[in-house]
Amino acid sequence: MVKILSMAPLLTLFAPAGALLAAESVVPAERQTPQPPSLTAETSNTAFRFYGEMGLGGSVYLNGDDKHKYSDGTYIEGGLEVKHGNWFGLLYGEGWTVQADNNGNAWVPDHSWGGFEGGINRFYGGYRTDKGTEFILSARNDSSLDDLQWWGDFTPEYGYVIPNTRDLTYAAKIQNLTGKLRYSVTAAPESRVDESKAWLHFGKYDRYSDKYTYQAMINGYLQYDILDDLTMLSGLEVTDGTGQMYLLGLQGKHLAGRVWHHTGKGDGYNPGSESGMMVSGMVEPAKGLYLSTAYSYAKHELDNEAY
């Protein structure tokens, strides 16, 4: 049995004015980030919108085996959104630099770079009814639970990530994200896509497409606004051979929490079980300036663990 304790303090979160996000909005900065203009199109016209984003820099470890070493976070992403009446679609790609040491080992913190990896992570089309229900077919998309990767976590990219299936190849999604009661469900057949079958390949350090190997699955969630600033979440994932995951959460304006149990992925990858919880808090001392922190706990029991 393995236990993991982690504290994830976030120094500050700034909301860049006019940011355009092709994926879900980041919490909590979304409350102060100006939203892009609505993408609308008459039945006889087609509307397009281009997204582009680039980040330079990284972080330095303050303790541990990699103390004082640099971990790079440079990335680039972009895509094209299209809408024609009630029809819509998105093509989106991303990539980042890969650090490597003199022996060719990838993802080693230091000041050297080995190459680049990336690929297409959104390629889908769908139809949205006048009441907000969306029917989406995709060759690349997020699962419904992955859309809520940072839900209940005010420290995006620092908090503990729950072990649901994330990026999908061929999949179908139905959702309605309007009103007090919202839902999303995604189903996908088994996928054996890896880097050898990648649409794009950027050299020996590119392992981007390996993540598209997974068992057939279905996952989804329900959200309900109990009060104006209090939302309840319940989620479920069922897979063909890698267990099930159950998720419950509650999110307010300044506090949030979630608990989960997965019967088939003991540490997010290997057979076993994982039970975990996370609580998070956030305050806004000045407009656009956020201070947040989170506490995570996960208990791993691997099937192949030696006793």
Side-chain angles (χ1 to χ4, degrees):
M1 182 177 69
V2 179
K3 294 183 179 180
I4 292 181
L5 295 175
S6 67
M7 281 293 293
L10 183 62
L11 297 179
T12 56
L13 288 179
F14 291 95
L20 300 178
L21 302 180
E24 68 274 11
S25 297
V26 175
V27 175
E30 62 180 356
R31 283 195 287 274
Q32 298 295 340
T33 301
Q35 295 299 309
S38 297
L39 187 66
T40 60
E42 301 297 334
T43 303
S44 58
N45 298 318
T46 302
F48 298 91
R49 180 161 60 200
F50 174 76
Y51 295 87
E53 183 177 327
M54 183 176 182
L56 301 173
S59 58
V60 175
Y61 291 91
L62 299 180
N63 51 37
D65 295 337
D66 296 318
K67 186 176 181 179
H68 298 157
K69 290 185 178 180
Y70 173 74
S71 179
D72 190 45
T74 299
Y75 71 93
I76 186 171
E77 56 185 66
L80 181 66
E81 182 183 4
V82 59
K83 185 173 183 181
H84 183 86
N86 290 56
W87 297 92
F88 61 89
L90 178 66
L91 174 64
Y92 204 84
E94 62 181 357
W96 42 80
T97 55
V98 179
Q99 288 176 275
D101 61 18
N102 294 330
N103 296 320
N105 298 310
W107 302 112
V108 178
D110 211 334
H111 282 84
S112 58
W113 285 264
F116 184 86
E117 76 168 1
I120 302 298
N121 69 334
R122 303 286 190 283
F123 185 30
Y124 63 74
Y127 182 86
R128 188 178 193 269
T129 70
D130 294 337
K131 293 186 177 181
T133 302
E134 297 179 349
F135 304 90
I136 303 171
L137 295 177
S138 63
R140 289 286 190 275
N141 204 358
D142 285 347
S143 71
S144 293
L145 286 182
D146 195 34
D147 289 339
L148 299 183
Q149 182 177 165
W150 306 117
W151 192 94
D153 176 10
F154 292 122
T155 63
E157 299 185 20
Y158 287 84
Y160 189 86
V161 180
I162 58 178
N164 58 273
T165 304
R166 307 191 186 291
D167 302 286
L168 304 173
T169 53
Y170 302 107
K173 178 185 288 189
I174 179 173
Q175 61 185 19
N176 191 314
L177 307 181
T178 64
K180 296 182 65 174
L181 178 63
R182 301 173 294 278
Y183 67 87
S184 179
V185 179
T186 303
E190 180 183 15
S191 174
R192 292 300 176 189
V193 174
D194 58 22
E195 193 57 36
S196 67
K197 305 178 183 69
W199 297 347
L200 299 171
H201 185 66
F202 296 97
K204 69 175 183 177
Y205 291 104
D206 188 357
R207 308 308 310 171
Y208 182 88
S209 291
D210 288 351
K211 64 183 178 180
Y212 291 110
T213 298
Y214 51 82
Q215 298 297 111
M217 54 73 63
I218 180 170
N219 72 24
Y221 66 84
L222 284 172
Q223 284 182 322
Y224 180 71
D225 294 334
I226 303 172
L227 301 171
D228 289 342
D229 292 320
L230 185 62
T231 300
M232 180 180 66
L233 168 74
S234 62
L236 173 67
E237 175 171 295
V238 179
T239 70
D240 181 17
T242 52
Q244 296 81 44
M245 194 192 78
Y246 308 90
L247 173 67
L248 290 173
L250 201 62
Q251 179 170 294
K253 186 176 181 179
H254 299 290
L255 292 173
R258 58 189 183 187
V259 295
W260 66 90
H261 176 70
H262 201 303
T263 65
K265 296 181 180 179
D267 57 0
Y269 302 96
N270 299 303
S273 66
E274 175 181 314
S275 298
M277 57 82 68
M278 180 175 191
V279 292
S280 181
M282 182 272 295
V283 295
E284 185 181 3
K287 186 175 181 179
L289 174 65
Y290 300 90
L291 301 178
S292 60
T293 189
Y295 174 83
S296 300
Y297 171 84
K299 178 182 178 182
H300 299 157
E301 293 183 348
L302 303 180
D303 289 347
N304 57 0
E305 187 174 23
Y307 290 94

